[in-house]
């Protein structure tokens, strides 16, 4: 059985104070069922706080990006071994904001997956179509293209057996619009099918999260879908009570 993953993408939000309060509250209220996993993704500068406050709790933490290289002359970048040094177990890769605002390519995302693997970080690989692409019926094609450079790697099977996929339709991110449960389920099933062409066992085990305006009021229906194994949650993850309530839905 696949374990649910409820992941909070904090993006570029928070201060030392607010992060401290959020983590303290979360730590006090969260009691996870055995089949639910939870992780938060604060901005890099707050990872030490996450490590201090979350060590020995059931809540994991990770970074929102990594550099391709483990070290070197790359001003402004943060590497996978650095995240490990701060106790991270996960890293978000290829978020649509990285792809659209910072020009990150699917080839770079694949190289970052190699870097994550080398450092034993679980990559949360984000894919998803824009509204224009959906309207032209290009969703599956776009996602296949985003995943293609990963499938082309010699270590693709190992990477995918350790990875999590997050389907995040770009038109739903931060907009208050959500994919309907049926719409999301259809895309998740296609992603699993595509992975099964590569490796059936990996496809049955890999977790595929939904992201894009996932909130307490729409989470139950989405999380009940057979191929939705959790959520990558932006806005609603900054409210610890709501985030915790979403994780509790996975216990039912
Ligand atoms: P949202 O963000 O929940 O605020 O739409 C999700 C994400 O970008 O991961």
């Amino acid at each position: 059985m696949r374990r649910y993953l409820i992941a909070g993408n904090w993006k570029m939000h928070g201060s030392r104070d607010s992060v401290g309060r959020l983590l303290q509250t979360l730590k006090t209220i969260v009691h996870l069922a055995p089949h639910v996993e939870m992780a938060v993704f604060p901005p890099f500068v707050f990872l030490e706080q996450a490590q201090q406050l979350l060590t020995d709790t059931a809540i994991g933490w990770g970074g929102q990006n990594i550099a391709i290289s483990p070290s070197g002359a790359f001003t402004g970048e943060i590497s996978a071994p650095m995240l490990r040094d701060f106790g991270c177990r996960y890293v978000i890769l290829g978020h649509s904001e990285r792809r659209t605002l910072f020009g990150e390519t699917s080839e770079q995302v694949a190289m970052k997956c190699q870097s994550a693997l080398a450092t034993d970080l679980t990559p949360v690989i984000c894919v998803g179509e824009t509204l224009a692409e959906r309207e032209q019926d290009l969703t599956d094609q776009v996602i296949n293209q985003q995943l293609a450079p990963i499938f082309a790697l010699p270590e693709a099977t190992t990477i995918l057996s350790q990875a999590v996929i997050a389907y995040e339709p770009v038109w739903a991110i931060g907009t208050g619009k959500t994919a309907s449960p049926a719409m999301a389920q259809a895309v998740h099933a296609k992603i699993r099918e595509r992975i099964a062409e590569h490796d059936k066992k990996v496809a049955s085990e890999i977790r595929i999260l939904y992201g894009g305006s996932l909130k307490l009021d729409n989470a139950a229906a989405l999380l009940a879908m057979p191929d939705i194994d959790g959520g990558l949650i932006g806005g609603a993850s900054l409210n610890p009570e709501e985030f915790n309530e979403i994780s509790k839905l996975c216990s039912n």
Side-chain angles (χ1 to χ4, degrees):
M1 200 181 114
R2 298 186 294 265
R3 207 165 166 210
Y4 278 107
L5 174 61
I6 297 297
N9 175 11
W10 292 4
K11 309 195 179 189
M12 199 174 71
H13 293 294
S15 64
R16 227 184 238 279
D17 265 11
S18 69
V19 164
R21 274 183 274 119
L22 208 166
L23 291 172
Q24 278 295 358
T25 310
L26 212 51
K27 183 174 156 162
T28 321
I29 60 179
V30 166
H31 298 283
L32 295 174
H35 59 282
V36 188
E37 193 174 311
M38 179 184 275
V40 292
F41 295 79
F44 292 129
V45 290
F46 303 127
L47 287 174
E48 186 166 14
Q49 256 176 304
Q51 184 176 31
Q52 278 166 1
L53 290 166
L54 299 179
T55 297
D56 298 327
T57 72
I59 309 164
W61 60 96
Q64 299 173 14
N65 183 28
I66 47 171
I68 292 169
S69 301
S71 66
F74 302 102
T75 303
E77 293 287 285
I78 302 280
S79 71
M82 292 173 185
L83 292 194
R84 284 300 296 183
D85 216 6
F86 284 82
C88 293
R89 292 217 324 264
Y90 314 80
V91 63
I92 296 175
L93 294 180
H95 188 278
S96 80
E97 284 147 22
R98 303 262 2 132
R99 292 178 190 264
T100 56
L101 304 172
F102 303 99
E104 206 164 292
T105 65
S106 299
E107 287 70 24
Q108 287 169 329
V109 173
M111 287 190 271
K112 290 180 181 196
C113 285
Q114 290 178 302
S115 213
L117 179 73
T119 320
D120 206 20
L121 283 171
T122 297
V124 179
I125 306 165
C126 303
V127 295
E129 81 289 3
T130 62
L131 186 58
E133 288 161 347
R134 172 162 285 269
E135 284 170 353
Q136 290 169 70
D137 210 15
L138 293 173
T139 303
D140 298 336
Q141 191 178 320
V142 166
I143 293 174
N144 284 342
Q145 280 165 0
Q146 288 169 333
L147 292 174
I150 297 171
F151 286 120
L153 295 172
E155 66 274 57
T157 308
T158 322
I159 288 174
L160 291 167
S161 62
Q162 165 172 323
V164 172
I165 307 278
Y167 167 55
E168 300 206 302
V170 178
W171 49 270
I173 297 177
T175 57
K177 289 184 197 146
T178 344
S180 69
M183 221 182 203
Q185 165 58 28
V187 179
H188 283 230
K190 279 272 184 216
I191 296 173
R192 208 179 291 287
E193 253 174 64
R194 173 66 193 91
I195 297 172
E197 288 167 19
H198 183 84
D199 188 304
K200 283 204 169 56
K201 182 167 182 287
V202 171
S204 70
E205 289 172 358
I206 196 167
R207 290 175 294 178
I208 308 177
L209 315 185
Y210 171 79
S213 299
L214 187 75
K215 299 193 163 45
L216 187 55
D217 59 10
N218 57 30
L222 285 157
L223 293 169
M225 292 289 122
D227 286 295
I228 300 186
D229 308 309
L232 181 56
I233 307 168
S237 72
L238 295 167
N239 175 336
E241 283 82 12
E242 182 167 3
F243 191 57
N244 180 45
E245 287 304 315
I246 296 173
S247 78
K248 286 207 241 166
L249 296 171
C250 303
S251 312
N252 303 331

